[in-house]
Structures are given as structure tokens and as C-alpha cells.
Amino acid sequence: MVPVGGAIIAGFDDEFIKEISKMYPGRASASPSLDVLITLLTLGASGYKKLLSERKELYTHLAQELKALAERHGERLLHTPHNPISLAMSLDGLQSSCDKAVTQLGSMLFTRQVSGARVIPLGMKQTVSGHTFHGFMSHSDAYPCPYLNAASAIGITKNDVELSIKKPDKCHKALKKEGNIEKKVSWGHHLKDQMNKRCPESNPSFKRCSAHLSWDLSGIKDSVNNSTMIWN
């Protein structure tokens, strides 16, 4: 219910700045703690307890909506019975459609103001103060699948749940479509290379076949560019 703290670090040594950025400098600010105190004093005990009750009810609603979203995209709601706040859905299908699609989904959600959800890719590794963490952000060295995490936090509303489902749904469809087009472009280039090897330029039909295939590839690329403009 309060904004996360932030910090701007500047300097002349790029490597030193990168090391600081890995240590979450934004969490050192006292502003969020002050905001929490003001919020709790404003709510009072009864207001706080009411929000806790609403959070539990909306957790069930979020679970149902996230499960429906997962099923629409051939994914699954992960089984996490000991976590009464956070939920997650797998992203196996998205991972298979494009290598960078999982991290791109996280970026797309953030730019669309879905800042609470986290996308966890496979194989993340981070070094903080000389300690290397495998499976960074997933709380497991080798989690079996990438996933999208969402939480039923205090202060969440039903409208928040609905919006947080619609935006990932739209982004998921866009990324899967983009992945399919990229595969078509890659396959088209492979086909053209094979044709160039098997059809010598002395063959009268070479120029006709090559021109036709080049036109097909440019058509696919145009559809990629047009689709990108629509998604953005």
C-alpha cells in the first residue's frame, strides 16, 4: 500500500556502480518505513483487520483467475499449498516459443504498470558481495520451469485482480505470435539457403524461384513490423 523506496547512484566507475546496483540500494531509504507508519495510523486496528479479511477473499478470486489464464495458454497454476499470499503460473510454452520471451514478458508488464508481478526465467545467476546465487529470484537452485508470480497483497481490490489478468493475457498472446513469426522467418531463410545450394544460377528457373521466395520473406518481415507497432 506504500511505494517502494528508490535511489539514484552516480559515479565514474561503471563496474563499481554495477556492484552497488546488485545490492538493492533502493531498500535502504527510510521513506517507505515512514509511509507504512502513517498508513497504519490512518487505518487504525479495525481498518487494518478489514483489509486482511478482504485480502483472504481476493486470494481465492486471484487463484481462480490465474488458473483460467494459465489454461488458456496451455500452462498450469503451480501447486503452492503452504503459501497463502503468492501464486504462480508456469511459462513453459512461452519459453519454447522464443528464448527471450519470458524476460520480455516481465518487461512488457512493467511498462504497462503491472509492477507487482514477477517473471522468473530459468538459469538466473547473480553474484552479490562475492556470493553467487543460482536460480536467482526463484528461491531454488534449479526450479523446473519459468513462471509468473502474483500476490494477493493487503489493499488489493477485485478491479486490481481483473486488470492484472487482462494485461498478462494480452502480452502473452503477442509474444507467442511474435515467436511464431520469428520461426517462420528463420525457416524461410533456411529454405532459401537450401534452394541456392541445389539450384545453380544457370538454371532458367533460379531467378524466378529466388524472387518469389524473397517476396515471401519480405511479406513475413512486414507482418512482424506491423504487429510490433500494434503491440507497442
Side-chain angles (χ1 to χ4, degrees), residues 140-161:
S140 171
D141 287 348
Y143 203 78
C145 69
Y147 61 87
L148 169 66
N149 168 266
S152 177
I154 292 178
I156 192 173
T157 65
K158 190 173 183 180
N159 186 55
D160 291 333
V161 173

Side-chain angles (χ1 to χ4, degrees), residues 29-45:
S29 171
S31 297
S33 300
L34 181 60
D35 289 337
V36 169
L37 175 61
I38 295 171
T39 302
L40 290 175
L41 291 174
T42 304
L43 287 172

Side-chain angles (χ1 to χ4, degrees), residues 1 129 150 228:
M1 295 183 65
S129 298
T228 301

Side-chain angles (χ1 to χ4, degrees), residues 32 41 48 52 57 59 92 110 151 184 210 230:
L41 291 174
Y48 180 66
L52 286 176
E57 293 176 4
Y59 174 84
D92 287 318
F110 185 80
K184 289 180 181 178
S210 179
I230 293 172

